[in-house]
Amino acid sequence: MGDRLWRHLADVQAGLLSHRQLRELGVSRGEIRNHVRVGRWAARSGEVVSTTTGPLSPEQALWLGVLHGGSSAMVGALSAARERGLRRWDRDEITILVSNPMSFDPLPGYRFFRTRRPFKVLVGAGELPVCRLEPAVLMFAAHEPHLRTALGAVAATVQQRLTTADTLVDWLDRLTPLRRSRDLRDLLSDVGDGAHSMAEVDLRKACRDYGVQPPRSQRSRVDNRGRRRYTDAEWRLGDGRVLVLEIDGGVHDDPQQATLDRRRNRQLTSATRTVVQCSAWEIRHEPWEVMEDLLALGVPPVG
């Protein structure tokens, strides 16, 4: 009977079991040591074994961190966001949220982050305890050393259509007090107005700073080949024409990507729509240059 119980639990937990769970199922320390000694199981930490002996899969690595962290542990921060669908924000280190990081030994490759927030409020659905997307990324942003990285991760969740700015604001209220709440609210205000990247957020800030009318973002347009495109920023000019500004990030430095971008801009240009470009670097470090050019092209000032 006990054998069936631990086997069932191992199936649920990708082959990982904690000593505490095994003891509760009637498996003694001596039996655990014997399974490891003869090579049926492998010791993965001082408190966790696996019923497989090869390299850990990504899922097993998450279970190891959770089981090592104790009964109230869950996957958190960007590790949780990745499980919830966030892409291109991977980190080598796995973050585990715990109630008391001093109750167990450190584990290489893992960061155990203490939170006093209720487990049931944060954890999402599923057998593997993983923090919900919104609190995971907001709590990451509150403690990430670099503000721009912190804000970029939050903006990415909306850009990738995993959540909405309004939902994130609701979670900000639920997580109060939270470090950087003011910065996060300012960011989510811009994101709610249509900004989908940090470069677009920088553009809106530059417009406020230099008195330029803010743009409309992510407008749906059909190019001259009949394909639907979404523009970074647009302004309706006084003569009825539309000015489009496309902001090129680091990926656009690739020659092939740069060629595709230029082709896309040509195909979006028409008798009533002009497309111009700038770099994300310009918007962040030389915004006055871009603002002067936009005013010269007919973008109206505020007021």
Side-chain angles (χ1 to χ4, degrees), residues 1-104:
M1 178 66 177
D3 215 45
R4 288 204 304 273
L5 290 175
W6 72 250
R7 288 183 187 278
H8 172 71
L9 186 57
D11 287 342
V12 170
Q13 297 179 171
L16 277 292
L17 297 163
S18 72
H19 287 207
R20 176 185 56 80
Q21 291 174 327
L22 287 165
R23 288 195 300 272
E24 290 173 354
L25 294 174
V27 181
S28 69
R29 290 185 181 274
E31 290 176 280
I32 296 172
R33 286 195 298 269
N34 186 57
H35 279 298
V36 173
R37 181 179 58 80
V38 300
R40 284 192 293 266
W41 293 358
R44 300 298 183 173
S45 79
E47 289 298 319
V48 182
V49 296
S50 67
T51 58
T52 60
T53 57
L56 293 178
S57 68
E59 181 186 9
Q60 288 178 313
L62 296 177
W63 272 111
L64 172 56
V66 167
L67 294 174
H68 187 79
S71 59
S72 62
M74 73 183 85
V75 183
L78 293 186
S79 304
R82 178 180 179 180
E83 289 301 294
R84 300 298 180 195
L86 185 65
R87 298 293 173 255
R88 299 185 294 278
W89 283 85
D90 296 344
R91 296 291 188 273
D92 292 334
E93 188 177 61
I94 294 174
T95 300
I96 304 294
L97 301 181
V98 295
S99 58
N100 184 6
M102 304 304 293
S103 63
F104 50 83

Side-chain angles (χ1 to χ4, degrees), residues 234-254:
E234 286 189 6
W235 292 266
R236 177 74 63 176
L237 305 183
D239 59 6
R241 292 181 301 114
V242 172
L243 179 69
V244 177
L245 177 66
E246 289 296 305
I247 307 172
D248 299 339
V251 68
H252 302 269
D253 293 338
D254 175 74

Side-chain angles (χ1 to χ4, degrees), residues 79-260:
S79 304
R82 178 180 179 180
E83 289 301 294
R84 300 298 180 195
L86 185 65
R87 298 293 173 255
R88 299 185 294 278
W89 283 85
D90 296 344
R91 296 291 188 273
D92 292 334
E93 188 177 61
I94 294 174
T95 300
I96 304 294
L97 301 181
V98 295
S99 58
N100 184 6
M102 304 304 293
S103 63
F104 50 83
D105 293 330
L107 191 62
Y110 293 81
R111 180 184 181 222
F112 293 93
F113 184 86
R114 183 181 186 182
T115 178
R116 293 189 177 92
R117 303 179 191 278
F119 178 89
K120 291 182 179 179
V121 171
L122 299 181
V123 74
E127 296 288 354
L128 176 66
V130 179
C131 188
R132 299 173 188 269
L133 172 67
E134 292 84 2
V137 75
L138 288 171
M139 290 166 69
F140 163 79
H143 296 279
E144 159 61 32
H146 303 289
L147 177 60
R148 191 170 181 82
T149 300
L151 300 180
V154 175
T157 63
V158 179
Q159 179 188 29
Q160 297 181 26
R161 293 177 170 80
L162 300 174
T163 187
T164 66
D166 287 343
T167 303
L168 286 163
V169 170
D170 288 343
W171 270 100
L172 264 180
D173 293 336
R174 295 176 69 178
L175 294 172
T176 301
L178 188 71
R179 291 180 69 246
R180 290 180 173 158
S181 289
R182 188 171 185 175
D183 292 316
L184 289 165
R185 289 185 190 279
D186 289 345
L187 168 75
L188 292 170
S189 176
D190 283 335
V191 170
D193 288 338
H196 275 205
S197 69
M198 284 307 296
E200 291 174 41
V201 170
D202 289 341
L203 173 61
R204 288 177 175 276
K205 181 179 184 302
C207 288
R208 290 193 295 270
D209 290 346
Y210 292 91
V212 176
Q213 186 181 99
R216 296 177 294 175
S217 299
Q218 299 298 312
R219 300 285 292 180
S220 174
R221 297 294 184 185
V222 176
D223 67 16
N224 61 23
R225 306 293 177 89
R227 289 170 295 206
R228 188 163 299 280
R229 307 286 195 177
Y230 290 87
T231 59
D232 288 342
E234 286 189 6
W235 292 266
R236 177 74 63 176
L237 305 183
D239 59 6
R241 292 181 301 114
V242 172
L243 179 69
V244 177
L245 177 66
E246 289 296 305
I247 307 172
D248 299 339
V251 68
H252 302 269
D253 293 338
D254 175 74
Q256 183 177 7
Q257 184 62 50
T259 297
L260 292 174

